[in-house]
Amino acid sequence: MSRESVITEQPGDDVLLAGWGGTAPTRARLASPLTEADARQLLDRAPDRGAIARGLGRAYGDAAQNAGGLVLDATALSGIIDADLDRGIVTARAGTSLDELMRWLIPRGWFLVTPGTRFVTVGGAIASDIHGKGHHVDGTFGNKVRSFRLLTGSGEVLDVDRESSPEVFWATTGGMGLTGVLLDATFELIPTETRFIRVDEERCPDLDAMFSAMEESDSAYRYSVAWIDCGATGKHLGRGILGRGNHATLDEVPKTKRSLAHRFDPHQLAVAPPILPSGLINAWTVKAFNELWYRKTRVSHRDLIQDIGLFFHPLDMIDEWSRVYGSRGFVQYQFVVPFGAEDTVRRIIEILGNENWPSFLAVLKRFGAANPGMLSFPMPGWTLTVDIPVGRAELARTFDRFDEMVLQVGGRVYLAKDARTRPENLGRMYPRLPEWREVRHRLDPDHRIASDLSRRLGL
Amino acid sequence: MNDALGSVQSVLILGGGSDIALATAKALIARRCRTVILAGRDPESFSGPAKELRHAGANTVESVTFDALDHSSHPAFIESVFERFGDIDLVLVAFGVLGDQDRAEVDPTEALRILDTNFLGAVSVLVPTTAALHRQGHGTIVVLSSVAGERARRSNFVYGSSKAGLDAYCQGLGDSLVGTGVRVIVVRPGFVHSKMTDGLDAAPLATDPEHVAGAIISALTRGTEIVWVPRQMRYVMSVLRHLPRAVFRRLPV
C-alpha cells in the first residue's frame, strides 16, 4: 500500500504549497475549477480539512495553503465579464490578475488600486484588502469594490452588495478568504490620461525629515511611499528616498512619448534561477546595496516621467524574485502604528540596524483612513514593511519583540504578510475579531473553509 | 501549525522522561508551543515535568501511556493521539536505552532489549506516525540518534548498532517524504550529561540537554536535516570514521 492511497480519491494533484516568502510549505490537494459549478462541486466534496481558494500565491505567509486539505486554484476562473468605461466600473472574475486588467484598462484610460505587484488576483486583492502607494487618497482595493459574489462554505452563492449586505461585505473584505470563495467582483476604477506617473523624488537624511516631508506634502500627491535604509544608524537612522507622484496628463508627457502614452505592455527582464543558495541576502550584501541605492538618487529630482510599471511594480521585472532568498525563504514583516507612535517606528528601525538584520526593502507609508473591513489592516498611521531572510534562530524573538512594541501603541501586523505572529496577539490587534468570527460562523458553520493561517492563528 | 521560523504549536514526545526531551519541550514552549503530550511507559512519573512545562507556559500538558516494546499497540496509540489532540506539529522520538554492553555480549535478552527499544520500537512507531503526519499534510519528526551510530565502537557497539539502524532508517524516511510537507530531522548528539549517562565518565566534547534543545530549535528554523551536537562533532566523527580499523580499535573511546 502506497502512502498516497491513504488519501481519499479527490480530483487534482498533491502539491507542496507555500506563500511568496517560501516558508513553512505544506501539502494539499490542488484542483483548478474551470467553472463555478466545478468550484461548487469541489467544495462540496472537500476533505475533512476543508478548502481554501488560492490566487497567484503572492500572500507572503500561509494564507493560501491548506495542509492535508483542498486548495482551489482560482486563476482559471478569470476574465472581464462587464465594463462600463464611461463611468469606470468593471466586473471581473475573481481569478483575473491585476496585470491582465491593467493591460486592458490602461490603454482605455483607466487604472486600479494596485499593490507593489500586478500579479495578484481580484479575489486575493479583496481577501487581503490590499493597499498601495495611494492609500492616503484612494484607500484599499476593498474601498473601490461595490459588490461581489461569494460561494460560502455551506455551498450557497451570495450576491454581496456593499450597501445592502455590509456585514458579509466587510467580513469578506480583508477576511483572508475564510468567509468563502470569491467568484467575481464589481469595482470602481481610477481615471488616468496616460500610462505615466509624474514623479518627484527626494532624499531624506533621517527619519524625522522623512516623517515631516510626508506629513507636510503627501496630500499634494496621489501616490507616496518611502524607501528606508534600515542599515543606517546613529544620525543617519531612518534615512531614505521619498518617491511621490501623480498620474501624468498628456501635456506633461514629453512629445516624443505622447504617441505611445496609452500603450501598456510591461515585460519581465529576467527570471531568478531556482538554485540560489540561502544566505546570499545577508547583512553585508544588503548594506552595500542600500548604500548604493541611497547614493544613486539625486538629493531632489522633480517631474520625472515614469512608466506605471516601473513606479508601482519594479520587482515584477524579475520573475520569481523571491528566489534570491534561497530555499529557506524570508519573512516580510509589515506593521502599522497610529499617528503619534512615530517613536515605535524609530525603535524598530534602530533594532534592525543595531542587531544587523539585513532588510533590502524597507518601505514606509503614511496610511489614510481605515475602512469598515473587520480584519482589514490599514488604519490611520505609519506602516513599515521589512523583508528579513530566515536563518538566524533569534529572528523569532526579535519579531515577537516588535509585535509587543506595536501592540503597546495599538498597532497591528498585516495578515497577508504574516507567517509567525502569536495567536493570542490577534484579538488585541484586530478588536473586531469576535464580530468577524460570528459572520464567518454564520456563513460556514462547519468551517469547511480553512487555511494554514486560520489553523495557526486559531481564527 | 509550523510557522515561518520553525516554531511549532503542538508536540508529541515519545519518551517523555528523557532529559533532552524536556529541555526541548521547554525551548519549544518559549517559542509559542502550547500543547505538549508526554508519552512513556510510566506516565505517572511525568507529573513533575508536566508541572514544570505548564509553569513554562504550556496550556495543555497530557501524559499518555506508550511502550516502545509493545509494537502491536503503536498504530492504535498514534491514531488515538491524533484524534484526541488534533494537529501534531512535531513528533520527538526521544526514547531509548543505553543498556549494559557487557551483559549484552553474553546475554541475548539484553542485546535484543536494546535493539528492540532503540531501533525496532522506533521504526514500529514511526510507520503510523508518518502516515498520520502525511494525512495532516505537514509536520516534523525529530529523532534522537547518536554519534555512537556513526561508527561502532568496541565499548558500546550494541547501543551503537541500534542507533546506526535508526539513523539510516530516518535518513531514508526523510528522503522519501520530500514534497509531502513532512520532514525528518536526525539529531546526533555526542556525550550528553543526563539521567541516561549518570555515573559514566564524560567523553570529550560532552554537552548537556539544553544545548541539544538549542540545536534542535536552530535546525527547525533553518531546515537542517542532520544535526550534530556540539557542531564540531561532525568533523571529529568524520575523521574517526575514516580511521583504519586497526587504529580505531586501539583508541581509548
Side-chain angles (χ1 to χ4, degrees):
Chain A
M1 188 180 83
S2 84
R3 245 182 251 123
E4 276 68 27
S5 66
V6 178
I7 301 156
T8 47
E9 252 332 293
Q10 290 271 342
D13 303 304
D14 273 353
V15 291
L16 205 54
L17 293 171
W20 194 242
T23 53
T26 61
R27 191 220 20 106
R29 184 53 67 121
L30 183 71
S32 307
L34 297 172
T35 62
E36 274 178 41
D38 282 357
R40 217 180 193 153
Q41 203 176 32
L42 283 165
L43 190 60
D44 193 46
R45 289 167 56 193
D48 291 349
R49 295 175 70 86
I52 190 82
R54 180 182 175 98
L56 287 163
R58 253 46 172 207
Y60 285 79
D62 47 9
Q65 57 199 60
N66 181 18
L70 178 68
V71 173
L72 295 171
D73 167 16
T75 54
L77 287 169
S78 75
I80 295 169
I81 298 171
D82 193 18
D84 178 344
L85 292 178
D86 297 326
R87 291 190 302 154
I89 296 167
V90 152
T91 303
R93 288 197 182 84
T96 318
S97 72
L98 298 198
D99 183 63
E100 216 176 320
L101 285 165
M102 282 181 209
R103 282 171 196 272
W104 195 78
L105 289 169
I106 291 172
R108 288 164 178 79
W110 295 101
F111 190 56
L112 295 157
V113 166
T114 176
T117 172
R118 291 185 303 278
F119 298 107
V120 294
T121 59
V122 169
I126 295 171
S128 297
D129 198 18
I130 57 161
H131 59 270
K133 296 183 178 191
H135 186 270
H136 61 293
V137 176
D138 290 309
T140 64
F141 193 90
N143 285 54
K144 300 285 184 193
V145 176
R146 292 188 167 185
S147 63
F148 49 73
R149 287 191 317 127
L150 183 72
L151 170 61
T152 68
S154 39
E156 245 182 303
V157 175
L158 303 179
D159 283 304
V160 183
D161 184 90
R162 182 164 57 184
E163 308 303 328
S164 55
S165 26
E167 269 202 322
V168 178
F169 186 94
W170 292 113
T172 302
T173 304
M176 303 311 295
L178 293 164
T179 56
V181 178
L182 281 154
L183 298 172
D184 55 51
T186 301
F187 46 93
E188 295 156 19
L189 306 171
I190 295 168
T192 179
E193 239 176 75
T194 67
R195 65 169 164 116
F196 295 106
I197 303 289
R198 198 183 79 235
V199 183
D200 290 343
E201 281 186 346
E202 57 185 297
R203 270 203 223 167
C204 295
D206 59 45
L207 198 59
D208 281 329
M210 187 66 84
F211 281 139
S212 42
M214 288 172 113
E215 268 161 12
E216 278 157 25
S217 46
D218 256 9
S219 54
Y221 299 91
R222 186 150 199 167
Y223 304 110
S224 162
V225 81
W227 167 84
I228 303 277
D229 176 1
C230 276
T233 50
K235 68 177 173 31
H236 300 300
L237 185 88
R239 72 175 183 184
I241 297 161
L242 179 56
R244 298 184 290 189
N246 289 303
H247 288 279
T249 60
L250 202 55
D251 299 341
E252 288 163 348
V253 175
K255 287 202 177 76
T256 50
K257 289 183 173 175
R258 273 184 209 166
S259 63
L260 294 174
H262 300 292
R263 211 184 69 145
F264 184 69
D265 183 24
H267 20 244
Q268 285 162 342
L269 297 178
V271 186
I275 44 153
L276 294 170
S278 298
L280 209 58
I281 307 290
N282 58 49
W284 303 108
T285 52
V286 167
K287 239 192 178 108
F289 171 85
N290 284 354
E291 190 69 41
L292 275 173
W293 198 258
Y294 182 71
R295 303 226 170 260
K296 74 141 187 85
T297 307
R298 284 190 253 159
V299 174
S300 157
H301 201 166
R302 303 191 72 82
D303 294 333
L304 208 67
I305 297 293
Q306 252 178 23
D307 194 89
I308 276 179
L310 183 65
F311 181 72
F312 288 101
H313 320 115
L315 284 170
D316 282 352
M317 287 190 272
I318 314 287
D319 195 17
E320 304 286 350
W321 63 263
S322 62
R323 283 177 180 161
V324 303
Y325 287 94
S327 60
R328 275 187 229 134
F330 68 104
V331 172
Q332 183 165 94
Y333 185 75
Q334 181 172 7
F335 67 89
V336 57
V337 293
F339 293 123
E342 288 76 15
D343 209 44
T344 303
V345 180
R346 187 189 324 277
R347 273 165 52 220
I348 287 178
I349 295 176
E350 207 166 31
I351 292 170
L352 288 168
N354 291 344
E355 297 185 1
N356 251 321
W357 291 108
S359 179
F360 247 130
L361 296 159
V363 167
L364 181 70
K365 162 90 197 138
R366 209 176 130 267
F367 272 151
N371 68 24
M374 296 169 195
L375 298 185
S376 184
F377 168 67
M379 61 157 97
W382 301 99
T383 181
L384 183 76
T385 310
V386 294
D387 285 357
I388 313 272
V390 173
R392 275 157 67 189
E394 313 89 81
L395 185 57
R397 213 160 297 155
T398 302
F399 278 147
D400 282 346
R401 230 168 110 203
F402 290 172
D403 279 356
E404 269 318 305
M405 292 161 68
V406 167
L407 274 165
Q408 260 169 28
V409 293
R412 57 191 174 215
V413 300
Y414 188 9
L415 294 182
K417 309 285 179 80
D418 181 60
R420 34 71 39 208
T421 198
R422 289 172 190 264
E424 51 268 37
N425 292 343
L426 216 65
R428 294 163 71 198
M429 290 177 174
Y430 291 91
R432 294 178 65 197
L433 186 63
E435 205 181 326
W436 178 85
R437 281 194 172 125
E438 214 176 285
V439 178
R440 181 195 180 200
H441 193 71
R442 211 172 60 219
L443 295 174
D444 180 17
D446 304 325
H447 290 197
R448 293 174 59 76
I449 307 282
S451 64
D452 286 1
L453 177 104
S454 76
R455 277 196 198 93
R456 178 171 57 83
L457 294 178
L459 286 169
Chain B
M1 296 300 307
N2 294 309
D3 78 6
L5 301 170
S7 301
V8 301
Q9 294 178 310
S10 54
V11 58
L12 165 64
I13 297 177
L14 302 171
S18 139
D19 289 340
I20 293 177
L22 284 181
T24 307
K26 278 185 205 158
L28 292 171
I29 290 166
R31 292 183 140 227
R32 62 167 99 345
C33 181
R34 291 294 171 263
T35 303
V36 182
I37 304 141
L38 300 170
R41 239 178 337 197
D42 183 13
E44 255 110 81
S45 67
F46 299 153
S47 61
K51 213 167 129 190
E52 257 181 78
L53 295 179
R54 264 186 222 107
H55 187 73
N59 296 336
T60 308
V61 183
E62 290 282 341
S63 305
V64 292
T65 308
F66 165 74
D67 185 353
L69 292 172
D70 184 4
H71 300 167
S72 63
S73 71
H74 293 170
F77 163 76
I78 288 297
E79 198 176 317
S80 74
V81 167
F82 278 77
E83 199 157 292
R84 194 168 146 203
F85 298 98
D87 277 21
I88 304 285
D89 299 339
L90 193 152
V91 178
L92 175 60
V93 179
F95 62 83
V97 292
L98 203 48
D100 183 334
Q101 170 72 23
D102 293 338
R103 227 180 80 210
E105 287 177 29
V106 291
D107 176 3
T109 326
E110 176 64 2
L112 287 177
R113 183 182 75 96
I114 298 170
L115 289 171
D116 229 0
T117 312
N118 297 356
F119 180 38
L120 299 181
V123 170
S124 161
V125 75
L126 277 170
V127 172
T129 300
T130 305
L133 293 178
H134 190 265
R135 259 196 309 275
Q136 179 178 277
H138 73 100
T140 306
I141 298 170
V142 176
V143 181
L144 295 186
S145 175
S146 167
V147 297
E150 184 73 355
R151 184 158 192 187
R153 281 181 292 156
R154 171 70 193 87
S155 59
N156 72 348
F157 63 84
V158 181
Y159 174 79
S161 62
S162 73
K163 289 296 188 184
L166 176 65
D167 198 294
Y169 177 86
C170 291
Q171 288 181 58
L173 181 65
D175 289 340
S176 81
L177 289 170
V178 167
T180 64
V182 183
R183 57 184 181 153
V184 180
I185 299 175
V186 176
V187 186
R188 294 178 182 156
F191 186 96
V192 181
H193 292 285
S194 68
K195 285 199 288 280
M196 196 198 229
T197 57
D198 220 12
L200 297 179
D201 293 333
L205 292 178
T207 184
D208 55 42
E210 285 69 32
H211 272 93
V212 181
I216 291 173
I217 296 288
S218 170
L220 287 170
T221 308
R222 299 171 71 93
T224 318
E225 290 171 308
I226 294 184
V227 185
W228 298 85
V229 200
R231 211 176 301 169
Q232 305 91 295
M233 206 44 123
R234 175 177 178 182
Y235 306 102
V236 173
M237 289 312 294
S238 176
V239 171
L240 286 183
R241 68 174 293 165
H242 288 99
L243 286 181
R245 285 182 67 179
V247 178
F248 186 72
R249 74 170 71 100
R250 286 185 175 86
L251 289 182
V253 290

